[in-house]
Amino acid sequence: MKYLFKNSHIIDPTTGKDTKVDILIVDGIIEKIGNNLSIDINSLTYDLSGKIVAPGFIDMHVHLREPGYEYKETIETGCMAAANGGFTAVCCMPNTNPPIDEASIVRLIKQRAENVLKGLVDIYPIAAITKGREGKELAPMMELVDAGAVGFSDDGSPVENAEVMRRALEYASALNKPIIQHPEELDLAKGGLINEGYVSTMLGMQAIPSIAEEIMIARDLQLTEYFAAQYHAAHISTAGSVELIRMGKKKKLNVSCEVTPHHFSLDDNAVRSFDTNTKMNPPLRTREDIEALKEGLRDGTIDVIATDHAPHSFDEKQVEFLFAPFGIVGLETAVSLASTELVHKNIISISQLIEKFSINPRRILNLPPILINEGVRANLTIFDPSIEWIVDIQKFKSKSKNSPFNGWKLKGKVFGIFNNGIFHPPE
Amino acid sequence: MPLASRHLLGLEGVPKEDIQLILDTATSFREILERPIKKVPTLQGMTIVNLFFESSTRTRISFELAERRLSADVVNFSADLSSVKKGETLKDTARNIEAMKIDMVVMRHAAVGAAHFLTRVIKAIIINAGDGTHEHPTQALLDMYSIREKLGKIEGLNICIVGDISHSRVALSNIYGLKTMGANVAVCGPKTLIPREIGKLGVKIFYSVDEAIKWANVLNVLRIQLERQDRAFFPSLREYRQYFAITKERLDKSEKQITILHPGPINRDVELSAEVADSEHSLILQQVLNGVAVRMAVLYLLGTRSESK
C-alpha cells in the first residue's frame, strides 16, 4: 500500500525539522521525503496543505475500563476514540477489575489491542504500584515490565504510605520506569466534590483544598530526591503544584508532570451549573491556577498534556452531583483544546504542543522517540491548527459521552493518524 | 409582576423585587391564618408532591399546611435516602411521579444541587426545601419576614448568623437574601465551621460571640449538628457551649435589644440557653407560624405564574 502526502508541513522537535515537503509511505515505511514527489497511480494521495505532520501523539493517561467496566468503555472503543482524537498510542491505567497488578492482565490487554483496527493504536499498559492498588504491598514490577508495562501507578488512589512509596520509587528506578503518582492527601480531600474556594463557599459544597494535592507532591519530591528515583505527578491542577515541580526541576531531580486539557480550559465556576460533567478529581480549580498551569506549560515545568480520559455511562452521570462519579472523557477533544486554549492564545508554539503530546511522554516512559525520517516506520499525527469546528459528543467514538465540552467551538482539528502501516483518515 | 423564575431553587441571584413580592404576599396570607376559616381556593386543582429524602418534620408539615390552605391536592413521598439510592435513581422516581400528572414538587434532599438537577429531568415547578448544605430558600424568606415583622425593616440592620456556617443551608440562603435586601450580614462561630472564603460573599466574620453581640441587632442561631462531631470540627460540645452558646448573661452585656432567631429544632442549652429561647426577644415560634404564610406566598406566586403562561 502506498500513500503520498503532498505539501506536508513536518514539525519534528526531536530533530528540529520544520519543512514543507511531500512524504511517500510504502507498506508503512517512510520511503521518501522530498519536494514534488510524483504522483503514482497506485498510491493514495492526500493534499495536506495547511496541515501539520508530527511524530505520533501518545496519551499517557487513559482509562480504557477493560477488563471490568466494559459498559463504560472497551479496549476497542477506547482505541477508536484515541485514533479519532489523533493519538497513535495510549497508556492505560490499572484501575480496572481486576486491576493491572499481574502480568497476565498486561498480556491480555496488549493482545486485545492488537485486534482493534488491525493494531492501529499502540497500547502501553501502566501497571499498579501495589497489589490491588491498595497501597500496601508492591506489585510484581519486574514481571509486569517483562509483560509490557511501561510505568507504574495506583491511579485513582495515591500511594499514601511513605515507606511503601519509598520502596516503589527505589524498585522501579532500577527498572528505569517512572512511578506515576495520583497526588492526593486523602484525609484533607475526604468527602470533597469540588475545589475549595469561592465557588464551593457559594454552593455550600464539600470541597477538596489545593493543598491536598500539593502536600503529596511535596512529600514525593523529598522521597524522589533522597532515593534518586524517577517520579511523575499525574494530572496536576494547582498553582502550588506547578511551583513544587518547578523547584524539583531546578534541583535537577528526575521529575515530570502532566496536566489535563480540562484543567487548563475550565475553572471551577463551571461547577455552578451542577453539570456532573464538571465533576472530576482533581477538581476544576480557579482562574489563578489556570494561569499558573499555562505558565508551567510555557516554561516547560509541565512536560505533558494527558487526558485522564475517564468514561462513565450516561446513566451514571444522570444523577445528583453528589452521587456522580468523578471524571470525563478527553481523547477526542484534547488536541483541539490544546490548540485553542494554548496555541491560539500564544501560550505555547505548535512545536511545544508536539513535545507535550509526543516527545516528552515518550521520554518519561523511556520509549524510543519517533522520527520522521526516510527508512523508518511511519508513526504520524496529522492535524490542522486552523480549522474551526463544534464539538458534538454524539460523534465521539468513545462508548461514553461524558464531556463538558459539547457544543464548544474549537480551533484546530485532527486530520488523521498513520501507524503500523495503516492510515486512519477523517470520516 | 410575576416572579423572575418559575422555580424557587435558592435565593442566590433572586432580585430584590421578587423577595419583596414574596414577603408582601406573605403578609396577606398571614392575615388569613388569623381567621377562623384558614383556607382559600387559590390553588384548587393543582397537585403538589412533597418529595422528602431527608427526615424533616417541621418543614414538611409547614409546606403541607400551606398547600392544603391553598386548596391544592397534596401527596407526600418520604424516603430514607439510603434505601432510595439502592433502588431507583432520583431521575426515575421523579419521572414516575410526574407521569401521574403533578404540577409542583417540593423537595428536600441531602445532595447539593439536587433541586437544580430535578429541573433538568422533569417539567414540574420545583421548590427547593433544602438541598444538602447549599440552600433552603423558604427558611431564609421566613426569617426575613419575621425580622421585618418585628423590627419594621431589613435594610441597614446588623444581622449575625451564629454556629456551623460551613454545613448550613440556612446560613447561605440567609446571606444571599439578606444581602440583597440591604442588611449588613456577619457570621460567627469556631473558625473550623466557617468557610475560608466566606468573606468574598460580603459578610463580616466574628470568632467571638461577645464581639458579634456587640455588633448585631439580630442573631440567627443555627442548630449544632451533633452528628458532625465525628469529623472533630471543634473539641467538644462542652467547649462549644462555653464559648458560643447564646445565653442571657452574654446578651445582658449588650445595651441594645437583640432579636433572636433559630431555624429549629433547638438543642436547648447547646447553642441557645432555654432562657433565651423562651424570652420575649426570641422569634422562634413566630418563625414557625410565618413559615406557613411565606410558603403559601411562594406556592401561590409560582403556582399562578405557571397558569398565566
Side-chain angles (χ1 to χ4, degrees):
Chain A
M1 198 65 187
K2 287 184 185 177
Y3 290 91
L4 180 59
F5 294 127
K6 300 286 288 180
N7 307 311
S8 312
H9 183 176
I10 298 176
I11 299 183
D12 180 0
T14 309
T15 56
K17 193 179 283 177
D18 186 344
T19 54
K20 285 195 180 111
V21 286
D22 299 342
I23 306 170
L24 178 67
I25 299 171
V26 179
D27 296 332
I29 310 287
I30 299 175
E31 184 157 293
K32 201 153 181 57
I33 296 174
N35 290 309
N36 303 317
L37 298 185
S38 57
I39 294 173
D40 181 331
I41 192 148
N42 295 320
S43 67
L44 278 169
T45 303
Y46 290 88
D47 181 3
L48 297 188
S49 296
K51 295 175 178 54
I52 309 289
V53 176
F57 290 178
I58 179 169
D59 184 346
M60 68 178 284
H61 197 134
V62 171
H63 297 277
L64 289 179
R65 302 297 191 209
E66 186 179 351
Y69 306 100
E70 290 83 355
Y71 68 99
K72 297 173 193 258
E73 192 84 282
T74 61
I75 290 168
E76 181 175 3
T77 56
C79 284
M80 283 159 62
N84 207 36
F87 295 97
T88 63
V90 295
C91 294
C92 56
M93 283 292 167
N95 50 346
T96 47
N97 185 16
I100 311 177
D101 63 357
E102 47 179 278
S104 60
I105 312 282
V106 175
R107 282 193 288 267
L108 171 92
I109 290 169
K110 287 189 77 80
Q111 273 164 16
R112 294 239 168 118
E114 279 166 21
N115 298 325
V116 177
L117 301 168
K118 297 175 182 152
L120 172 65
V121 176
D122 300 317
I123 293 197
Y124 297 106
I126 306 285
I129 297 171
T130 61
K131 284 179 192 159
R133 296 172 48 254
E134 287 176 349
K136 291 174 188 154
E137 294 171 66
L138 292 186
M141 289 188 174
M142 291 171 95
E143 272 182 27
L144 288 161
V145 168
D146 276 346
V150 297
F152 296 97
S153 179
D154 277 356
D155 188 52
S157 307
V159 178
E160 278 203 287
N161 182 308
E163 207 226 344
V164 174
M165 190 61 173
R166 166 204 176 146
R167 302 296 175 211
L169 285 164
E170 286 180 302
Y171 204 83
S173 68
L175 311 175
N176 283 320
K177 296 290 177 262
I179 291 292
I180 302 170
Q181 172 76 304
H182 166 111
E184 183 181 15
E185 207 290 317
L186 292 179
D187 287 316
L188 283 169
K190 186 170 149 191
L193 308 174
I194 63 172
N195 179 52
E196 179 173 301
Y198 176 60
V199 172
S200 69
T201 303
M202 288 195 75
L203 301 182
M205 190 108 71
Q206 287 227 58
I208 304 170
S210 52
I211 47 160
E213 177 174 307
E214 293 152 9
I215 280 173
M216 194 56 97
I217 292 177
R219 180 204 75 175
D220 289 346
L221 289 175
Q222 297 287 104
L223 290 167
T224 302
E225 180 172 15
Y226 191 85
F227 296 107
Q230 186 189 349
Y231 175 76
H232 178 82
H235 45 55
I236 69 163
S237 64
T238 76
S241 298
V242 177
E243 191 49 38
L244 285 164
I245 299 287
R246 187 177 284 129
M247 277 162 47
K249 288 190 168 181
K250 228 174 243 169
K251 285 187 181 173
K252 308 281 180 210
L253 308 187
N254 192 358
V255 297
S256 55
C257 67
E258 69 194 29
V259 67
T260 72
H262 49 271
H263 284 113
F264 63 68
S265 302
L266 278 174
D267 67 50
D268 59 352
N269 277 293
V271 175
R272 292 172 65 179
S273 64
F274 296 107
D275 178 354
T276 54
N277 288 329
T278 62
K279 181 178 175 183
M280 51 280 275
N281 188 18
L284 297 175
R285 303 287 188 182
T286 66
R287 236 331 97 187
E288 292 72 45
D289 291 309
I290 291 181
E291 292 314 313
L293 292 171
K294 286 182 171 175
E295 178 55 25
L297 283 159
R298 195 195 60 74
D299 73 10
T301 302
I302 300 175
D303 308 80
V304 171
I305 300 170
T307 63
D308 195 5
H309 179 82
H312 292 294
S313 79
F314 179 74
D315 286 334
E316 286 176 310
K317 282 285 198 179
Q318 276 282 304
V319 293
E320 302 89 317
F321 200 90
L322 173 66
F323 301 135
F326 290 102
I328 60 166
V329 292
L331 282 167
E332 292 167 88
T333 47
V335 174
S336 296
L337 282 166
S339 168
T340 307
E341 297 294 327
L342 303 176
V343 174
H344 290 293
K345 291 185 177 168
N346 298 314
I347 310 293
I348 61 172
S349 64
I350 287 179
S351 177
Q352 281 175 297
L353 177 136
I354 295 167
E355 287 174 19
K356 291 175 202 301
F357 272 122
S358 178
I359 315 298
N360 295 343
R362 285 180 183 275
R363 171 176 50 75
I364 290 160
L365 298 165
N366 296 303
L367 298 173
I370 290 163
L371 302 171
I372 307 180
N373 288 339
E374 288 177 1
V376 305
R377 288 171 68 78
N379 183 336
L380 308 169
T381 293
I382 305 165
F383 65 100
D384 190 324
S386 60
I387 287 183
E388 292 188 317
W389 64 292
I390 289 172
V391 178
D392 177 0
I393 52 170
Q394 296 311 326
K395 293 191 176 151
F396 284 177
K397 299 296 177 199
S398 173
K399 201 174 225 181
S400 294
K401 320 288 178 196
N402 51 314
S403 168
F405 300 112
N406 192 35
W408 277 41
K409 188 174 176 187
L410 300 179
K411 191 170 184 183
K413 196 170 193 316
V414 170
F415 179 76
I417 60 170
F418 199 111
N419 191 30
N420 294 330
I422 304 156
F423 179 50
H424 182 79
E427 303 213 326
Chain B
M1 278 294 287
L3 297 175
S5 166
R6 68 181 289 260
H7 308 291
L8 180 65
L9 305 178
L11 292 188
E12 186 205 336
V14 173
K16 189 171 182 176
E17 308 76 66
D18 283 11
I19 293 177
Q20 200 86 51
L21 176 62
I22 293 168
L23 300 184
D24 293 346
T25 309
T27 309
S28 324
F29 285 120
R30 178 74 164 68
E31 285 161 20
I32 291 171
L33 293 178
E34 300 293 346
R35 295 181 195 164
I37 295 168
K38 300 175 179 64
K39 200 158 175 164
V40 290
T42 324
L43 293 187
Q44 206 156 38
M46 274 203 132
T47 308
I48 304 176
V49 179
N50 298 316
L51 203 53
F52 277 65
F53 292 101
E54 247 186 8
S55 59
S56 146
T57 311
R58 67 187 62 205
T59 303
R60 196 184 58 68
I61 290 178
S62 179
F63 265 109
E64 190 174 339
L65 263 179
E67 291 153 5
R68 292 194 191 282
R69 292 197 162 148
L70 293 169
S71 305
D73 295 318
V74 180
V75 181
N76 289 308
F77 179 101
S78 299
D80 175 20
L81 193 64
S82 58
S83 68
V84 169
K85 220 191 133 191
K86 275 180 223 145
E88 212 170 31
T89 62
L90 173 58
K91 182 178 163 183
D92 284 336
T93 304
R95 285 193 168 175
N96 274 284
I97 290 172
E98 187 174 52
M100 297 182 223
K101 301 293 174 199
I102 50 108
D103 304 290
M104 225 188 265
V105 175
V106 175
M107 184 168 75
R108 160 71 58 93
H109 195 290
V112 170
H116 296 71
F117 171 71
L118 208 57
T119 64
R120 285 202 286 265
V121 294
I122 61 173
K123 293 189 191 73
I125 299 162
I126 311 294
I127 296 175
N128 181 7
D131 62 327
T133 47
H134 180 215
E135 285 225 45
H136 188 1
T138 57
Q139 177 68 44
L141 287 165
L142 75 88
D143 290 347
M144 286 191 280
Y145 182 92
S146 304
I147 292 167
R148 196 178 75 164
E149 187 184 52
K150 167 92 173 175
L151 301 173
K153 61 171 185 178
I154 295 168
E155 194 170 343
L157 290 177
N158 290 350
I159 299 170
C160 184
I161 307 163
V162 184
D164 182 353
I165 309 301
S166 287
H167 304 97
S168 173
R169 51 189 168 221
V170 177
L172 260 186
S173 286
N174 262 285
I175 290 168
Y176 291 132
L178 290 167
K179 293 291 295 176
T180 304
M181 298 309 285
N184 306 309
V185 183
V187 295
C188 175
K191 199 167 181 178
T192 44
L193 292 178
I194 296 180
R196 278 175 78 235
E197 305 205 18
I198 192 98
K200 289 189 185 163
L201 298 184
V203 303
K204 273 174 86 75
I205 302 166
F206 293 107
Y207 300 119
S208 146
V209 160
D210 294 321
E211 296 288 314
I213 287 172
K214 232 180 265 173
W215 175 84
N217 306 108
V218 177
L219 294 180
N220 195 344
V221 185
L222 301 177
R223 175 183 167 78
I224 282 296
Q225 294 185 309
L226 307 172
E227 62 272 19
R228 290 201 197 282
Q229 267 304 79
D230 63 327
R231 291 286 293 266
F233 287 102
F234 53 89
S236 68
L237 280 178
R238 180 170 172 275
E239 179 150 315
Y240 187 88
R241 184 187 299 125
Q242 269 180 318
Y243 292 91
F244 292 96
I246 306 301
T247 59
K248 186 162 184 303
E249 298 80 69
R250 286 216 164 89
L251 292 175
D252 282 348
K253 283 188 224 153
S254 168
E255 277 154 28
K256 57 186 179 331
Q257 215 47 263
I258 294 176
T259 300
I260 304 292
L261 286 88
H262 190 295
I266 308 170
N267 296 307
R268 283 182 181 259
D269 295 320
V270 179
E271 67 265 3
L272 203 57
S273 76
E275 254 179 322
V276 175
D278 302 331
S279 77
E280 58 183 311
H281 305 298
S282 151
L283 295 186
I284 296 171
L285 291 177
Q286 283 92 315
Q287 283 176 276
V288 176
L289 173 61
N290 293 338
V292 178
V294 163
R295 289 179 176 119
M296 285 173 81
V298 169
L299 291 160
Y300 164 75
L301 290 168
L302 291 176
T304 50
R305 183 185 184 277
S306 83
E307 268 174 19
S308 63
K309 265 192 358 170

